[in-house]
Amino acid sequence: MKKNKIAYVPLAVDILHTGHLNIINTAKKYGKVIIGLLSDSAISEYKDLPTLDYEERYKIVKSLKNVETIIKQNTWDYSEILENLKPDFFVHGDDWKKQSFRKHIRPKVIKTLKKWNGKLIEPKSSEKVSLLSSSEKIRNIFDSAENRVSKLNRLIKSKNIV
């Protein structure tokens, strides 16, 4: 790790898996790891509301050994945080090149990083980790009436009601 370098890693971490750990460990090789943890409302813009709320996900990520700091990421547009933080490295799995709702974000990140010679690091995503199937399995386990009501309350707080 180079002294005083910052590696920014945006994550949702609904279900922590080895792909997340790989990205965090890769980021640590480049500098101090700062996680941009997506809020419930940010996640629910493009995906299902996370199984775990932001506070629970924060506690989990904070307990990881290579995580220095966590910043709440309220949007999928990383520009504002990048402009303020000016990290030396932005570390993101290469899966975002293929996902339709995130494809447009990558070029904007690259353009923003160029302003201060920041670098994009894209570790290969773990094909063995199927977050969708894991999320579905876990949701089925915890799909009690009480959990559904709790989830509905979180959803109402996280989404704009039309």
Side-chain angles (χ1 to χ4, degrees):
M1 177 179 80
K2 297 192 177 175
K3 198 169 185 169
N4 299 323
K5 297 283 185 180
I6 295 173
Y8 185 75
V9 180
L11 293 173
V13 189
D14 188 16
I15 300 168
L16 183 66
H17 56 74
T18 56
H20 294 124
L21 298 177
N22 179 50
I23 289 170
I24 292 167
N25 292 336
T26 298
K28 183 65 177 171
K29 295 175 186 174
Y30 292 94
K32 179 173 85 167
V33 177
I34 297 178
I35 302 293
L37 189 60
L38 287 158
S39 67
D40 290 353
S41 58
I43 292 171
S44 65
E45 285 177 29
Y46 294 104
K47 298 180 176 184
D48 287 341
L49 186 69
T51 305
L52 301 174
D53 66 19
Y54 179 85
E55 289 75 23
E56 289 296 313
R57 292 181 294 112
Y58 180 94
K59 289 175 189 174
I60 291 167
V61 174
K62 187 68 179 164
S63 72
L64 300 174
K65 72 176 181 176
N66 288 329
V67 174
E68 182 83 22
T69 305
I70 300 173
I71 297 173
K72 191 170 192 176
Q73 179 78 47
N74 288 312
T75 175
W76 291 88
D77 182 353
Y78 307 117
S79 303
E80 186 178 338
I81 285 181
L82 292 177
E83 291 281 354
N84 291 332
L85 193 59
K86 293 188 177 23
D88 302 283
F89 304 97
F90 184 95
V91 185
H92 195 292
D94 68 350
D95 59 334
W96 69 341
K97 295 176 188 177
K98 302 170 198 160
Q99 293 175 331
S100 60
F101 76 92
R102 294 195 294 179
K103 265 185 178 175
H104 71 282
I105 300 169
R106 186 175 178 272
K108 193 171 182 180
V109 166
I110 292 168
K111 183 178 178 182
T112 304
L113 289 169
K114 281 184 181 178
K115 293 178 184 178
W116 58 86
N117 294 320
K119 304 285 184 250
L120 174 61
I121 309 296
E122 296 174 298
K124 185 167 175 47
S125 293
S126 176
E127 297 295 328
K128 292 181 181 177
V129 177
S130 174
L131 185 57
L132 181 59
S133 65
S134 297
S135 294
E136 286 302 315
K137 288 175 190 171
I138 289 175
R139 281 193 181 99
N140 288 337
I141 292 168
F142 293 104
D143 201 19
S144 68
E146 182 180 319
N147 286 337
R148 286 193 306 270
V149 169
S150 174
K151 184 176 177 180
L152 178 60
N153 285 328
R154 284 181 47 225
L155 187 59
I156 290 169
K157 291 176 186 173
S158 297
K159 291 235 185 211
N160 291 329
I161 304 298
V162 177

